[in-house]
Amino acid sequence: MRDPKHIKIRMSGLAALLAVCFFGSFLLGKYAIDPWTLLKILLSRVMEIPVDWTVQDETVLFNVRLPRVIMGAVIGGGLACAGAAYQGIFQNPMVSPDILGASNGAAFGAALGLFFTVGYKAVSVSAFLFGIMAVVIVLTISRRVKFNVTLGLILAGIMVGSIFNAGVSYLKLVADPTDTLPAITYWLMGSLASIRTQDVFFACPPIIIGILPILLLRWRLNVLTMGDEEARTMGINARVVRTVVIGGATLITAAAVSVSGLIGWVGLVIPHFARMIVGDDYRVMLPASILLGSSFLLVVDNFARMLATREIPIGILTAFIGAPFFLYLILTEGGRQR
Amino acid sequence: MDTRNNTKLKKLLAVTLILALAISVAACGAAKPSKDETAPNTRIFVDSAGREVEIPAKIDAIAPSGPLAQIVLYTACPDRLAGIAVAFSDQAKALIDEKYWGMTQFGQFYGKNASLNMEALIAAAPDVIVDIGEAKDTVVQDMDGLQEQLNMPVVFIEATLDSMDEAYEKIGELIGDTGEADPLAQYCREVSEKAAKVSASLAEEDRLSVYEALGDAGLNTNARGSFHAEVIETVGGVNAADLEVVSSGAGSEVSMEQVIGWNPDVIIAESEEVYQMILSDKAWSVLDAVKTGRVYKIPTSPYSAMANPPSVNRIFGILWLGDILYPDQYGVDISAEMQKFYKMFYHVEIDEAKAAELLSR
C-alpha cells in the first residue's frame, strides 16, 4: 500500500493533466485559431464581446472542435473505466471492454445501418442497440454455464463476438464498393472526425450513467478480484456486483462505439498505466483510469487531426501507441515480479 | 484519509464533466452568427437532391467530397479545385498535370466516421463543397448535416452512367459558366445515345458475351447485374458472369471451371499481367475467346475504361468496348476518339503513338 499523501499528489497531477489536455486540444487543429481569439469566442457565449473574428473561426470551434474534444474525453474515460472494471471482475489483466461482444455487436449494428443507408442518427441507434443486444445474449448463455461463471461469460462473449464479426464481414462483401464499403471500413477503424453536437448528446448520457455505478462499486471490485468465495465471506454478493458492472460497462462501450466506431487498446492499456501510477487499489485506480483514459484519447485525437490534412482514423493510432506500450508493460512487470 | 481523498476526486471529476457539458450546451444553444453582409452576393442553387442551397454568386474554389466528385470536377473545371479528396494514383499521375498532384487532401466524406478532415477543409475556404455520385436514400440528410456542421454550402450532383450529361450541365450551372461544361455534357449525351441505339438494334443472337478478368488471377469479376459491370450491358453485350449471388465490385470470385462453362466470346483483362497470363496459360487456352484472339487489355490510365472508379471514364469505356464488340455499328476510330476524349476530359494531349500504347495495340 502506498502512502496516501503520495497518491493524493499523483491524483491531482492526473486531474491537472486532463485539464491541460482538455483545454489544450481546443488550440490544436488544421485550422489555426490563435489562443486569444479562441478565448474571446468562448467568452462571447456568456458575455458581450465585440466580434473581431470570422464566421469560420466560430464554426470550427463550436461545430467541429468542441463536440470532438468533449466526445474524446468522455469516450476515453469511459472505455478506460469499463476496461478497469472488467479486469477486476474477470480477475484477468488481459481483458478489455469488448470481451463480452459489445463492440462486435455495435459494429454489426452500424454496418447494418450503413448497408441499408438508414441515416446518420439511425446508424448510431442501431449500433447502440446491437451492442447491448450482444451482451444480453452473452449473459443469457452464460447463465446456463454452471461450472465457472467468469469462464462461461468470456467464452460466450468470444462466441457471440465472432458471430457478429462474421456478419460484418458478410455485409462488407455484399456492400457497394464505391460508397457503402468504404463507409463501413472507415467506420470500423474508429474516428472522432465527424462527431457532431448531436452525437455528444446521444452518447454522453449512457456513458456517464454507465460510469457512475462502477465508480460507486469500486471498493467491492477490490474484493471481487480475490474471487467469489472470498467476496461472500465479506458479505458481498459477487453476482450482483458483477451484473451491475457488466451493465454499466456495456452501456459505456455500446454508446462509445455507436458514435466513434471501434477504438481499441484504451480499455486494455490505460488501467495498467493507472496501476503503475497509483497502485492496485480500485478506490483510486478506477478514477485514475478515467482521468488517464480521457487525457490519452484527447492527445491521440490531436494527432489524428494534425498529422495530415486528411484524417487518420484514431483506432489505428491507439493501436500503434497502445500495443507497443502494452508490450513494454509486460516486459517490465515480468522483470519486477522475478 | 482515503475517504477524504475520494471525495475530492469525485468533486474533481464532477467539475470536469459538468464543465464539459456546460460548454457544449452553451455552444448548441447559441444562435448562428449573422451572415447578413454577404447576402447580396449569393444566389440559390437547386441541387440534384432538390435541395435549395445558398451559394456565393461567383464560384472560384470547389472542394470535392470524395474520389468520384474529384474526377468529375477535374474534368469539368480543374482550375477551380480548392483541393482534392484522395491522392492521384500512379496511373492517373502519368497523364494528369503535375500541378494538381500536390493539392491539399481533405479525405473523403461518407456520412460518418470518414477520413474527411473538416478543419483542413474549412481552412481551404472553398466557395462550395460538391458531392457527386449515385443518390443514396439519405442524401438530403447527409448533405444538410455536413452543411450545418461546416457552415458552408454543400451540394449534391447526381451522376450515373446514363445521367453524366445532366451532371455536367448541373456543374456548369453551379459554377455559373456553361462554356466549359456544356461540350462535355454534349459529348456524354451523344455517346449514351449512340450506345442505346446500337444496343436496341442488335438481335439477341448477335449479342456477344464478355468476361471481365479482374484480380491477380483473372478470376475475380463484376457479376451480371452489378453496378460496376454496367458498361458491358450499355454497349449491347452480355456479361458472361451469370452468378446467383451478386457481390458488388471485384468481390465476386469465380472458378476456372465456371469461366470455361460460360465460354465467353470476348475477354477483357484489367492488368497487363492477367492479360499476358490469359494469352499464355494452358487452362485459358481452351476458351474460344483465346483461340480467336479476342482478348483485350482494358485501358487503365489515368482511370480504367470499365469501372474503377465508376465515373466519367466509363463514357470512354462505352466507345472502347463498343468498338471491340460491334465495330461496324459503332463506327468510331478509337485512336482518334481517345485523343479527343483525353483532350476534352483529362486536359491532356496524346499523340497517336501514345494512344496506341494506352490501347495496348
Side-chain angles (χ1 to χ4, degrees):
Chain A
M1 200 66 209
R2 290 176 201 200
D3 177 17
K5 201 172 170 190
H6 216 93
I7 287 176
K8 206 169 157 187
I9 294 169
R10 290 187 176 197
M11 286 302 287
S12 322
L14 289 179
L17 176 71
L18 175 59
V20 170
C21 292
F22 187 81
F23 293 105
S25 298
F26 283 103
L27 299 171
L28 298 170
K30 279 287 162 189
Y31 185 94
I33 306 177
D34 69 85
W36 180 234
T37 312
L38 193 121
L39 196 66
K40 280 197 289 188
I41 301 175
L42 281 176
L43 289 177
S44 73
R45 293 296 186 207
V46 282
M47 59 175 95
E48 285 291 316
I49 290 180
V51 177
D52 61 352
W53 54 85
T54 62
V55 180
Q56 275 85 4
D57 291 344
E58 214 159 318
T59 305
V60 168
L61 189 59
F62 288 112
N63 293 9
V64 180
R65 225 173 268 172
L66 181 83
R68 192 170 176 164
V69 169
I70 292 174
M71 207 67 251
V74 173
I75 288 178
L79 289 178
C81 172
Y86 271 6
Q87 288 172 7
I89 59 168
F90 292 115
Q91 297 136 40
N92 183 341
M94 300 301 287
V95 163
S96 62
D98 48 15
I99 189 76
L100 295 188
S103 301
N104 303 89
F108 178 76
L112 202 65
L114 291 167
F115 185 76
F116 290 109
T117 56
V118 293
Y120 193 87
K121 260 184 229 164
V123 170
S124 294
V125 174
S126 160
F128 183 67
L129 294 180
F130 271 93
I132 305 269
M133 195 177 90
V135 178
V136 170
I137 295 173
V138 168
L139 288 178
T140 318
I141 295 172
S142 71
R143 285 181 68 169
R144 299 182 162 261
V145 180
K146 296 282 182 269
F147 53 94
N148 184 332
V149 187
T150 48
L151 187 67
L153 275 170
I154 291 178
L155 287 179
I158 293 171
M159 243 51 112
V160 171
S162 58
I163 289 172
F164 278 114
N165 246 352
V168 170
S169 297
Y170 182 75
L171 287 174
K172 283 167 87 171
L173 177 74
V174 291
D176 182 336
T178 47
D179 48 18
T180 315
L181 178 61
I184 297 176
T185 311
Y186 276 118
W187 202 95
L188 292 177
M189 284 181 203
S191 169
L192 296 172
S194 65
I195 294 291
R196 298 178 189 169
T197 316
Q198 67 190 59
D199 294 320
V200 177
F201 284 114
F202 176 78
C204 279
I207 294 179
I208 292 168
I209 291 170
I211 291 176
L212 284 178
I214 298 177
L215 265 182
L216 295 176
L217 288 174
R218 66 187 189 277
W219 176 76
R220 287 172 179 78
L221 282 172
N222 274 340
V223 183
L224 231 64
T225 55
M226 294 184 279
D228 289 13
E229 294 299 323
E230 285 77 1
R232 196 170 302 133
T233 59
M234 295 187 72
I236 291 169
N237 187 337
R239 213 187 134 122
V240 171
V241 175
R242 194 156 36 229
T243 311
V244 172
V245 168
I246 289 175
T250 303
L251 269 181
I252 296 170
T253 313
V257 177
S258 72
V259 292
S260 72
L262 301 179
I263 299 179
W265 291 96
V266 180
L268 180 58
V269 175
I270 296 299
H272 288 280
F273 199 24
R275 271 186 207 109
M276 273 173 72
I277 297 171
V278 297
D280 292 328
D281 185 349
Y282 266 87
R283 283 174 295 178
V284 283
M285 190 278 254
L286 203 73
S289 292
I290 296 174
L291 294 174
L292 260 177
S294 293
S295 310
F296 175 74
L297 209 61
L298 285 171
V299 170
V300 177
D301 188 47
N302 288 337
F303 280 105
R305 64 173 186 271
M306 293 293 286
L307 279 179
T309 49
R310 56 185 298 190
E311 290 277 347
I312 315 248
I314 194 168
I316 296 178
L317 293 178
T318 54
F320 265 129
I321 300 167
F325 183 73
F326 197 60
L327 203 61
Y328 163 79
L329 282 183
I330 291 171
L331 294 176
T332 52
E333 286 289 309
R336 201 182 299 166
Q337 270 164 24
R338 223 179 294 142
Chain B
M1 194 68 197
D2 251 336
T3 356
R4 225 185 306 151
N5 197 5
N6 286 341
T7 335
K8 200 161 185 190
L9 284 172
K10 269 184 212 160
K11 272 187 198 159
L12 249 173
L13 263 175
V15 167
T16 319
L17 286 172
I18 289 168
L19 200 66
L21 285 176
I23 299 174
S24 83
V25 170
C28 300
K32 285 266 170 320
S34 82
K35 282 166 72 183
D36 284 343
E37 70 258 55
T38 57
N41 300 322
T42 62
R43 61 194 159 101
I44 298 292
F45 174 79
V46 181
D47 74 359
S48 302
R51 296 163 61 244
E52 290 185 6
V53 182
E54 194 179 349
I55 57 169
K58 203 164 165 298
I59 302 277
D60 294 317
I62 306 180
S65 76
L68 293 188
Q70 180 178 329
I71 296 174
V72 178
L73 291 174
Y74 171 77
T75 57
C77 47
D79 297 320
R80 283 189 168 88
L81 282 174
I84 52 178
V86 292
F88 289 106
S89 69
D90 287 342
Q91 282 182 328
K93 278 181 180 171
L95 287 171
I96 280 172
D97 196 322
E98 226 176 304
K99 68 178 172 182
Y100 301 108
W101 299 2
M103 294 182 97
T104 315
Q105 284 176 43
F106 305 127
Q108 343 187 2
F109 170 74
Y110 289 113
K112 192 165 191 172
N113 285 3
S115 62
L116 184 74
N117 191 321
M118 307 215 178
E119 295 196 14
L121 188 58
I122 295 176
D127 297 317
V128 63
I129 296 151
V130 179
D131 188 23
I132 297 179
E134 263 194 305
K136 289 203 274 183
D137 297 341
T138 52
V139 64
V140 172
Q141 192 189 340
D142 288 346
M143 297 295 114
D144 285 347
L146 189 62
Q147 174 166 305
E148 195 190 329
Q149 190 173 13
L150 294 174
N151 202 5
M152 276 181 184
V154 179
V155 302
F156 173 75
I157 292 176
E158 171 141 49
T160 61
L161 191 54
D162 306 326
S163 67
M164 222 57 229
D165 52 341
E166 289 160 36
Y168 279 109
E169 281 167 358
K170 231 20 187 176
I171 291 172
E173 189 191 326
L174 175 73
I175 59 180
D177 175 9
T178 52
E180 285 176 84
D182 271 1
L184 305 184
Q186 180 68 21
Y187 188 97
C188 292
R189 191 173 308 127
E190 281 169 13
V191 171
S192 291
E193 280 168 4
K194 179 181 269 179
K197 220 172 94 191
V198 172
S199 183
S201 73
L202 290 168
E204 213 48 53
E205 62 270 19
D206 291 338
R207 289 182 191 272
L208 299 175
S209 67
V210 179
Y211 175 73
E212 197 180 355
L214 308 171
D216 293 335
L219 291 175
N220 285 60
T221 197
N222 291 318
R224 185 182 297 174
S226 88
F227 159 61
H228 282 248
E230 254 181 313
V231 170
I232 297 174
E233 273 128 53
T234 306
V235 294
V238 178
N239 189 342
D242 184 11
L243 297 171
E244 274 172 21
V245 180
V246 177
S247 154
S248 327
S252 296
E253 261 187 71
V254 296
S255 70
M256 195 63 223
E257 286 172 36
Q258 282 172 295
V259 179
I260 293 171
W262 293 322
N263 198 14
D265 299 313
V266 171
I267 297 174
I268 53 178
E270 195 179 46
S271 72
E272 185 64 33
E273 292 75 38
V274 170
Y275 172 67
Q276 295 298 346
M277 189 268 298
I278 292 172
L279 292 181
S280 55
D281 193 89
K282 217 166 172 188
W284 290 82
S285 67
V286 301
L287 297 171
D288 284 347
V290 181
K291 283 186 205 156
T292 55
R294 305 221 67 188
V295 183
Y296 303 89
K297 156 90 177 57
I298 304 169
T300 48
S301 186
Y303 299 107
S304 164
M306 289 303 289
N308 191 20
S311 189
V312 59
N313 39 319
R314 296 186 298 172
I315 295 290
F316 175 71
I318 291 176
L319 293 175
W320 173 76
L321 191 62
D323 177 56
I324 285 172
L325 299 184
Y326 316 109
D328 297 339
Q329 286 90 329
Y330 276 88
V332 290
D333 173 355
I334 195 64
S335 171
E337 208 59 47
M338 186 178 214
Q339 292 172 50
K340 184 179 170 192
F341 184 89
Y342 277 46
K343 172 99 186 60
M344 281 178 81
F345 287 85
Y346 300 143
H347 317 292
V348 53
E349 300 264 7
I350 54 170
D351 58 17
E352 209 158 317
K354 181 74 185 168
E357 183 199 321
L358 292 170
L359 290 165
S360 303
R361 287 193 175 164

